[in-house]
Amino acid sequence: MKYFLSFLCFFYMSPLWAADFNKGGEAAKRQDFATAIEEWTPLAEAGDAKVQYYLAVLYLNWRAEPGDDEKAFRWFKRAADQGHMASQRQMGIFYLKGEVVNVDSTKAAEWFLPSANQGDDIAQFLLGTLYLKGDGVQKDVAKAIDYMTLAAEKNCAAAQYSLAELYYIGYQTKQNLTLAQKWYQRAADQGIEEALWDLKGMAEVEKSPTLSNSNNSEPSRNDQLWTALLQKGEYAQAVEVLTDLAEKGDKVAQFNLGVLSYLGQGKPRDYKKAFEWYSKAAEQGYTDAQLNLGKMYESGEGIGQDYVAAAELYRAGANKGDHYSQAALGLLYIQGKGVDQDFKEAIIWLTRSAKQGNIKAQENLGIFFIENSRDLFKVDEAIQWFSLAARQGSALAQANLGRLALQGRGMPQSYTKALDWFKQSAAQGNSYSQRNLAVMYYKGDGVTKDPSRAKMWFAFAAENGHPTAAQDVKNLDEELSTEQQEVAKKMIKDCMAKSYQGC
């Protein structure tokens, strides 16, 4: 989950030149801070919490001399001890950021709590983030949502965006796209650019990156003809009709000719022709053509490999909201191919794609956060993206969720959940999940020990390319009795007949 602490929440501040300390206020207004401090210090020493707060703000923002930060801290503390709401929030920020004092999330939460309960929206948001992460407080997503909602209702843009993220992804709460859209819109109304992208992504309709239908609102007879021919698999006749349209500049026909040339349907496979037709359609701004042309540059199929050209083409589609292009561009940023390696940019583009349901983007985000999981919260992010991909049937995501459940990483250790995820993934032919099942049955981890079934899964893993499974089979063969070998053979035969389902 992303949290943009730099987003400013709007809060009310009384004018510095209020009547009770007019001279100091006028001095501060003309940026004569020395005079303002001289005028306000006696009032602050007398115990006026509001003056103590403004005096602290001057020291914090002016910082004219060494030690001014410490003076700011002391005045915020004196005001906070009297229950001053904004000062309590600022004390929490000191401890959260480690300014003047050492980082201490527990003390930060202790200061945010009374400020939040008095209605300070920034404190409510920051306390919500601590509850969400379990940082300084016991993790409690329900409380996190409650505090963020209070802040969001007061137009704290950071809280609005974070709530939208939680509801969109369904992070340890029920997914609610209606609320996600509401809070994205509220954040977007305050100028949060990322929220605008997310709203655009929610409106995107899933489409195929292969053959496209006519882009005319009222298809011509030729449009109807080639569409019908393609649907019937009469590719040679479709090529004739499409060629006539493509030569007249129809970008959809040009794109589809590129696809047919690339796949070798209706004519022999011809990467050069595919490149030519994709290029013509891409020059007219046809997004699918830009994507497929980018893939050809990236892979070097039929043309010289050119990552820079691929990145430019992906960016053209990504900027129009195409989630396939966004996913491809994000991966290039992770790899540093065609662009300077930039993990921040990678996450931005992959997230935009993933929110539109792109499985590859969801998988790559999960992998990225697992590989860069210096803290538990990164693992949580990996789990949420793997979960979204797993719901869509991603064998890779299911395999990773099984591994995390087996290790107890980011979630309670559970053989039952690990077994369930590995079975779903293994049924799709994932060799790593198949081998993990084999190991579980061999050791009896969460299941009844079953060497024959272990042999079956080791054999499938080896067949599907796992690098060590073939040796595992040989090692296990030395342990199995003749009877166990026969049972394993029957299991393999029966499971193959069922295409790994229910094995």
Side-chain angles (χ1 to χ4, degrees), residues 8-254:
L8 295 179
C9 301
F10 176 83
F11 62 96
Y12 179 78
M13 182 183 291
S14 300
L16 288 177
W17 47 92
D20 289 345
F21 47 104
N22 184 62
K23 289 182 179 179
E26 288 295 336
K29 185 179 178 182
R30 61 178 182 268
Q31 297 189 6
D32 181 0
F33 299 129
T35 299
I37 288 173
E38 183 180 349
E39 294 291 338
W40 282 347
T41 298
L43 296 173
E45 292 285 6
D48 188 311
K50 184 169 72 172
V51 179
Q52 290 168 345
Y53 169 73
Y54 287 128
L55 187 58
V57 170
L58 277 187
Y59 277 120
L60 187 66
N61 293 329
W62 186 26
R63 298 178 180 178
E65 299 177 1
D68 279 356
D69 284 354
E70 287 78 6
K71 291 177 183 177
F73 179 87
R74 288 197 297 272
W75 286 117
F76 278 130
K77 175 71 164 53
R78 289 181 64 172
D81 285 339
Q82 297 189 69
H84 189 267
M85 179 179 73
S87 296
Q88 292 169 333
R89 176 240 301 152
Q90 185 58 45
M91 288 298 296
I93 291 173
F94 276 126
Y95 282 107
L96 186 66
K97 297 173 70 175
E99 294 181 348
V100 183
V101 292
N102 293 328
V103 171
D104 190 330
S105 298
T106 300
K107 286 188 177 179
E110 290 172 356
W111 281 115
F112 287 144
L113 181 61
S115 180
N117 288 343
Q118 289 189 70
D120 187 279
D121 54 344
I122 302 174
Q124 289 166 342
F125 168 65
L126 293 174
L127 184 60
T129 65
L130 293 179
Y131 273 116
L132 190 66
K133 295 188 285 186
D135 187 11
V137 292
Q138 185 174 351
K139 185 171 182 175
D140 191 327
V141 176
K143 280 188 178 180
I145 290 175
D146 287 343
Y147 277 112
M148 286 186 181
T149 301
L150 289 172
E153 293 290 1
K154 295 184 178 75
N155 277 338
C156 175
Q160 291 167 343
Y161 187 80
S162 294
L163 272 179
E165 294 274 85
L166 288 169
Y167 284 124
Y168 184 84
I169 295 169
Y171 176 69
Q172 296 188 17
T173 188
K174 187 175 181 180
Q175 187 181 45
N176 189 322
L177 297 182
T178 301
L179 285 176
Q181 186 173 31
K182 168 189 171 180
W183 291 119
Y184 277 140
Q185 186 63 63
R186 292 277 295 274
D189 289 344
Q190 296 198 70
I192 305 307
E193 182 181 358
E194 199 65 22
L196 290 169
W197 277 100
D198 293 323
L199 285 169
K200 186 176 182 180
M202 290 184 74
E204 278 287 311
V205 177
E206 185 76 17
K207 57 182 174 49
S208 167
T210 53
L211 294 170
S212 291
N213 292 323
S214 170
N215 61 343
N216 298 321
S217 57
E218 296 181 4
S220 68
R221 292 183 62 186
N222 279 344
D223 290 327
Q224 294 172 336
L225 177 58
W226 67 254
T227 301
L229 290 170
L230 288 175
Q231 289 172 346
K232 290 189 291 184
E234 296 178 3
Y235 299 117
Q237 296 94 317
V239 166
E240 292 180 12
V241 178
L242 285 167
T243 300
D244 180 60
L245 291 169
E247 289 176 347
K248 295 176 182 176
D250 188 302
K251 60 187 178 184
V252 179
Q254 292 167 344

Side-chain angles (χ1 to χ4, degrees), residues 372-390:
N372 295 274
S373 55
R374 296 176 183 174
D375 57 62
L376 184 61
F377 198 48
K378 294 295 184 185
V379 180
D380 283 350
E381 293 201 52
I383 290 171
Q384 72 189 30
W385 289 117
F386 281 142
S387 296
L388 286 175

